[in-house]
Amino acid sequence: MQQDNHQFFSTELLEWYGQAKRDLPWRRHRDPYFIWVSEIMLQQTRVDTVIPYFHRFIEKFPTVAALAQAPEDEVLKCWEGLGYYSRARNLQAAARQVTERHGGVIPDDLSAVSALKGVGPYTRGSIMSIAFNRPVPAVDGNVMRVLSRFFLIEEDIMKVSTRKSMEVLAEALIPEGRASDFNQALMELGALVCTPKSPHCLTCPVMQHCQGRIAGMETQLPVKTKAKKPRPEYRLAALIEGRGAEAGRVLVQQRPQTGLLARMWELPHILAAAENPAGGAVLPDEPAMDRLTQALAAEGHYAQPQGLYMEAEHTFSHIHWNLRVYRFQQSPELGALAALGAVAESSAEYESAASREDAPLKTRWINQADMEQLAFPNVFLRILNQYFASGNEQE
């Protein structure tokens, strides 16, 4: 009975996929490099978002060797907006491994692919099955959702043991010689039909024997422990407008070589508070600006505060940033006074209150055109694009 159920699932799924599969750019060939790039991009990102990024990335880095040899800043700029930038760094590091160990050719070898930086069980399965048609399972969230519902699996999919058991099940379902199509069909079903909310059961090719649907549990599966909420951080950011030789430009800084958003560019900012006891404003405006002014001075950036410019926020996997962005004007005169000791204790104040990850950081003045060469996290990209688009730099 179980074997019949397996055969029904695989047969019906493949027949449906042959008729319903989307025309996606990475499906038009079996180039393992293209498939690898697409699978890395598709992690935590929607297909519609990935398509233009994939085209631009492949145009700029058409081969493993081209990616391996590219400056990291160019890779990050090409990835800008996709988020999870460690994916791009790991992809390039793995491209260098392929160049050094395998002559720039992605090997048709499970252990060799598994050894590449950033390649986990799912990516390994995708490359081996889609590019080389090897019967290796590729189990992601879409696949676990489909399997949980069809086979009525009530174990928590966040557990490692559940994922491993699903990998065994998925491998057993792969028809001989059809690994590439089957794994893509399984992903496609989860993306288009067996969706997280309101699954389209009436159009599902395997509806007839779906145990979750028969039990009336299709909307309750898969069982998944809720992830811990990102911790809130409240930050004060400075949008410093240049004067004199720097007129029309704003000051940006490059993040440290390692850690969160490594080597990306941003507005100078400091940690204001890890909690928000007031439930609204981070800090009253004047103390916040004073604190930020002192922190800037400690870094050698002397500027006169002009007031609150805007508020913004951004969620990482483990942190939620709430940003208050203050507008400043470059003040060379204040810098001259500081050199004579007029800005007292600013460095000590900065060290005790700012809680910066690494200081001092590399800085530069930029205009809108300069943004084409530098990679920014999404939140700062939005702030700067809004600023330059409004023509503020001309005031």
Side-chain angles (χ1 to χ4, degrees), residues 3 10 16 56 91-92 99 105 113 135 141 171 173 185 188 207 225 237 295 332 375 379 385:
Q3 187 61 37
S10 302
W16 168 83
R56 287 196 295 269
L91 181 61
Q92 185 177 38
T99 301
V105 177
V113 170
E171 184 173 5
L173 291 169
E188 196 83 331
M207 174 190 71
T225 302
V379 63
N385 280 338

Side-chain angles (χ1 to χ4, degrees), residues 80-338:
E80 183 184 69
L82 274 177
Y84 299 93
Y85 294 95
S86 61
R87 294 182 298 172
R89 294 189 181 90
N90 288 340
L91 181 61
Q92 185 177 38
R96 289 170 177 161
Q97 289 178 300
V98 171
T99 301
E100 294 167 2
R101 301 174 186 176
H102 309 290
V105 177
I106 298 173
D108 181 3
D109 181 88
L110 185 62
S111 61
V113 170
S114 299
L116 299 177
K117 190 171 180 63
V119 173
Y122 169 73
T123 306
R124 173 191 66 201
S126 297
I127 295 171
M128 296 306 299
S129 64
I130 298 173
F132 302 115
N133 203 30
R134 303 299 180 193
V136 181
V139 176
D140 67 351
N142 279 334
V143 171
M144 287 194 287
R145 184 169 60 255
V146 171
L147 297 181
S148 291
R149 288 170 176 170
F150 186 83
F151 292 100
L152 193 59
I153 299 171
E154 299 182 67
E155 283 79 18
D156 184 354
I157 64 171
M158 296 299 287
K159 293 182 177 179
V160 175
S161 59
T162 305
R163 175 180 286 273
K164 288 183 176 179
S165 67
M166 287 197 177
E167 288 175 350
V168 172
L169 173 59
E171 184 173 5
L173 291 169
I174 299 174
E176 186 175 356
R178 300 295 304 277
S180 179
D181 284 342
F182 178 81
N183 278 355
Q184 291 182 87
L186 198 49
M187 299 171 196
E188 196 83 331
L189 188 69
L192 300 182
V193 178
C194 197
T195 51
K197 297 179 181 179
S198 303
H200 310 294
C201 294
L202 293 178
T203 60
C204 178
V206 296
M207 174 190 71
Q208 182 179 351
H209 295 300
C210 176
Q211 296 175 48
R213 183 194 64 82
I214 293 169
M217 295 181 62
E218 67 273 15
T219 58
Q220 299 170 39
L221 295 170
V223 175
K224 182 179 180 180
T225 302
K226 289 186 178 180
K228 186 178 179 181
K229 288 185 177 181
R231 73 173 186 273
E233 283 189 359
Y234 298 85
R235 290 181 171 265
L236 310 176
L239 199 158
I240 307 173
E241 301 170 309
R243 291 292 179 265
E246 305 301 345
R249 300 176 184 270
V250 297
L251 186 74
V252 295
Q253 67 185 18
Q254 190 175 36
R255 291 183 65 83
Q257 297 290 320
T258 59
L260 181 68
L261 304 172
R263 291 181 53 79
M264 301 193 76
W265 292 84
E266 63 184 2
L267 294 176
H269 60 100
I270 63 172
L271 180 66
E275 300 294 339
N276 187 13
V282 177
L283 291 170
D285 282 352
E286 289 187 8
M289 286 193 296
D290 290 344
R291 242 177 117 181
L292 188 53
T293 301
Q294 292 179 353
L296 293 170
E299 291 289 279
H301 308 312
Y302 304 102
Q304 293 283 2
Q306 303 298 303
L308 180 67
Y309 175 63
M310 67 179 292
E311 294 183 344
E313 57 184 284
H314 185 75
T315 301
F316 302 95
S317 58
H318 60 298
I319 303 172
H320 182 83
W321 276 2
N322 296 273
L323 286 169
R324 275 200 151 195
V325 185
Y326 291 90
R327 196 167 177 173
F328 287 76
Q329 289 185 354
Q330 185 186 19
S331 179
E333 297 83 3
L334 183 58
L337 290 173

Side-chain angles (χ1 to χ4, degrees), residues 80 368 371 380-390:
E80 183 184 69
Q368 189 170 17
M371 293 182 66
F380 293 108
L381 192 64
R382 293 197 303 270
I383 294 167
L384 287 166
N385 280 338
Q386 177 176 319
Y387 173 79
F388 286 121
S390 67

